[in-house]
Amino acid sequence: MTAEPTETTYRNPVLDADWSDPDVIRVGDDFYLTASSFGRVPGLPLLHSRDLVNWTLVGHALRRLAPEAEFARPRHDCGVWAPALRHHDDRFWIFWGDPDQGVFQINAPEIRGPWTEPLLVKAGKGLIDPCPLWDDETGEAYLVHAWAKSRSGVKNRLTGHRMHPDGTGLLDEGRVIVDGDRIPGWFTLEGPKLYRHDGWFWILAPAGGVETGWQGAFRSRAFFGPYEEKVVLEQKDTDVNGPHQGGWVRTPSGEDWFLHFQQRGAYGRVVHLQPMRWDGEGGWPVLGDDGAPVAEHRRPDLPPQPPAAPATDDDFPGGRHGRQWQWTANPGEGWATQHSADGLRLTCVRSADAHDLRALPNVLTQRLPGTPCTVEVELRLDSEEPGARAGLTVLGDAYRWIGLQRDTDGTVHLVHRFAETVAERERDADRPRPAPSGRARLRIDIDDGARCRFSYDTGEGPRPSGQVFAATPWRWVGALLGLVALAPTGQGHAGTATFTQFRISIQKKRADQ
């Protein structure tokens, strides 16, 4: 979702969904953004804009997660953490940290690829949030990264390395260049972005935690320090909690802007655009409205662009799903079948975990919009397999789904099920109802606070189902919308389910709201 356009202003957030840990660059007249994708596949989303306000999703840089075996099943909060996007030597580069493996790098001649296979630049547990810098003044290359205490026992510090100019490896063991434990009041220092400006090395890095923290700036005349620090963006009297972790970009006319995220519970980490300037006296960056996040602001001095946002709707032409969809693990062969008509034909994948959608790799997901909306999809269950089922889900630490199931007597029922955060198995959220045609139109109305109301239409008009469900996030990932088809364990092909006309309709706010 994107901010509502006006002639001269924009409103935050400019990306109103879970585009976690954003980083941004400009190449010519084009701006590009990537974000964390954690355990979803494909990974490393690639967004494009010409005005920093309207963004479209143009692809993904990471085809599959490695090692393959480790990501054959969902690892929702693992995988790709906090990438850094750069353009150097006529190539695009992305560095990211996998907290269980180390720092990876890929690169490509064009933003749409082809991207190289992941290269492990530094192996180790707890290495996160890496960012490279190629210093045009000296020809030297550097890398800075943070630490995840859950894997390494270390946090609240930034480690710096000299890097080989071709980005393939590091040239030293690294040194702590900023120790947050030595700065009064600072904790959970992470997410560094490294720059060179006005004769200084700059690190823009947040601290204080994603929900209540602040954005800091560090500067030094030498890469390895010593660094001095300053808080440059914090909540103050706004409703933007924990303004956190992002990237600085400069327009062709010389304006400076900063894109960062705000943690919003089930909606995940939405992206805000802040004006940025350099203090003429102290030389520090000033973000937002004198260090407070802006809700509305003058648009960047860039050519006007038509309203745009990452796609959500999908007719699945030829059985192909759009770029906005990601699997919850590395996909298997034959999960989705291409064909000549419209509609997503999903195989009812056999699984011993059919009782818990959180454990299934074959859930096709996209981000939950950060504003009230209605989600609808048509479903036809083509499987004759007893126990085969398919449906529409809101997936998180707790989840709920509504869909169709083939029973042992051959009949099809509309079913609505849920699982609490601590539950090991799902149970009925409402009593099953006959669906003799094997078809249903499924609907979720999502209100403020990600409160979800489920309903269906099996040919007799819309009917509500179950109680209101408050969507829940994973630990680091917002709640997801998902489509799934599955079947109990057994032998042979279990049939398919076809989804058509997937739509997300944003609810318009009244003028008095």
Side-chain angles (χ1 to χ4, degrees), residues 308-424:
T312 56
D313 296 354
D314 208 340
D315 288 321
F316 310 106
R320 298 174 178 86
H321 54 77
R323 298 186 183 101
Q324 66 269 35
W325 297 95
Q326 296 169 290
W327 299 99
T328 48
N330 284 327
E333 291 292 330
W335 286 0
T337 304
Q338 296 182 10
H339 52 91
S340 59
D342 288 350
L344 177 68
R345 187 177 295 165
L346 292 183
T347 298
C348 294
V349 177
R350 294 187 181 276
S351 175
D353 294 315
H355 57 276
D356 189 347
L357 300 191
R358 295 165 296 198
L360 297 180
N362 58 303
V363 185
L364 192 61
T365 68
Q366 65 167 281
R367 293 161 177 82
L368 183 74
T371 191
C373 65
T374 296
V375 183
E376 295 182 282
V377 69
E378 298 273 357
L379 169 62
R380 184 182 73 236
L381 183 62
D382 299 316
S383 173
E384 299 296 327
E385 180 77 10
R389 68 204 76 161
L392 170 67
T393 182
V394 177
L395 187 65
D397 264 351
Y399 73 86
R400 188 172 291 208
W401 71 278
I402 191 168
L404 298 173
Q405 176 171 308
R406 178 77 63 179
D407 293 332
T408 54
D409 62 0
T411 61
V412 176
H413 278 85
L414 187 291
V415 295
H416 184 186
R417 298 195 173 116
F418 78 103
E420 301 164 273
T421 299
V422 297
E424 296 181 358

Side-chain angles (χ1 to χ4, degrees), residues 204 247-249 255-258 274-278 285-288:
L204 301 181
W248 162 41
V249 69
E255 286 186 346
D256 294 309
W257 297 85
F258 184 74
Q274 301 297 337
M276 176 173 165
R277 60 182 175 84
W278 295 89
V286 180
L287 275 55

Side-chain angles (χ1 to χ4, degrees), residues 177-178 183 186 200-203 216-222 225-231 282-285:
I177 58 175
V178 180
I183 307 173
W186 285 62
W200 297 87
F201 287 91
W202 289 90
I203 298 174
F218 300 82
R219 69 180 181 185
S220 174
R221 293 294 185 185
Y227 283 84
E228 52 185 325
E229 82 285 340
K230 185 176 183 179
V231 175
W284 290 91

